[in-house]
Structures are given as C-alpha cells and as structure tokens.
Amino acid sequence: MLIEGPTLVVEAFSARLNIEAVYAEVSAEIPTELVELDVRRVADGVLAGVLSTENPQPVAAVAARPHWSMDDLRLDRPVLVLAEVRDPGNLGSLWRSAEAGGC
C-alpha cells in the first residue's frame, strides 16, 4: 500500500507496519523517526508525477498490507470495519469519527 506524507509515514513506521521503501524528494526534510530507514532520494517533482493526490507530499512510502485475524481485535471497545472504501476523504472522516467514538 502507498503511504503519502511525512506524518503518515512516521505513523506507519511507529505502528510497526512493514515499510518496504521510503522515497523523499531531494529538498524534503526527513523526519528524525525515519533516519534508520533506507530513504531513497528522488528529484524534486518526481513524486508529484506518481502520486494521485491534488497536493502531493514530498515523502512517500510503500508498505506491505497488514493482515489481521479476529484474534487481533480488541473487543472491549467498538470496532470500525470498512470494505471497499474508494474515496480517501471518506476514509478519513470515518476514521476520525470512529476514533472520537472510542474505536
């Protein structure tokens, strides 16, 4: 899966997702949390050509999609389950609402 933006890449790394590659444009600052990773530098503007967001970030990562089982769920609180979400904006809204509700 593709993770875009320094904040989300740091969060993915902190969550112990399997980060396969990190790309940063030459002018981008690398967050200190990512210095132990092998960050591949690319020319400025390259990520804008491959990312689909309106305002592409200068840092992106590729991570293996995590796989969880029912045993991994904490059933002592509400759980948000999503299927076939097509719009990242909708996902963000759902995620924030679920977090505010204690998921």
Side-chain angles (χ1 to χ4, degrees):
M1 65 184 171
L2 183 63
I3 303 165
E4 184 182 344
T7 302
L8 291 180
V9 173
V10 167
E11 287 184 20
F13 181 67
S14 297
R16 297 190 175 131
L17 288 181
N18 180 16
I19 305 292
E20 297 174 350
V22 178
Y23 299 93
E25 293 185 350
V26 173
S27 64
E29 262 187 66
I30 303 298
T32 56
E33 298 89 345
L34 302 178
V35 294
E36 66 185 75
L37 296 176
D38 178 27
V39 177
R40 300 169 188 174
R41 291 292 191 158
V42 297
D44 289 346
V46 167
L47 292 178
V50 297
L51 298 173
S52 62
T53 55
E54 277 186 38
N55 299 307
Q57 298 287 312
V59 177
V62 176
R65 183 179 296 189
H67 296 280
W68 294 288
S69 70
M70 291 298 289
D71 295 333
D72 295 320
L73 293 177
R74 287 188 51 197
L75 298 177
D76 60 331
R77 59 185 184 183
V79 176
L80 174 67
V81 177
L82 304 170
E84 297 185 34
V85 176
R86 299 192 193 288
D87 182 345
N90 291 342
L91 174 61
S93 296
L94 291 166
W95 191 282
R96 287 186 296 278
S97 297
E99 186 174 35
C103 284

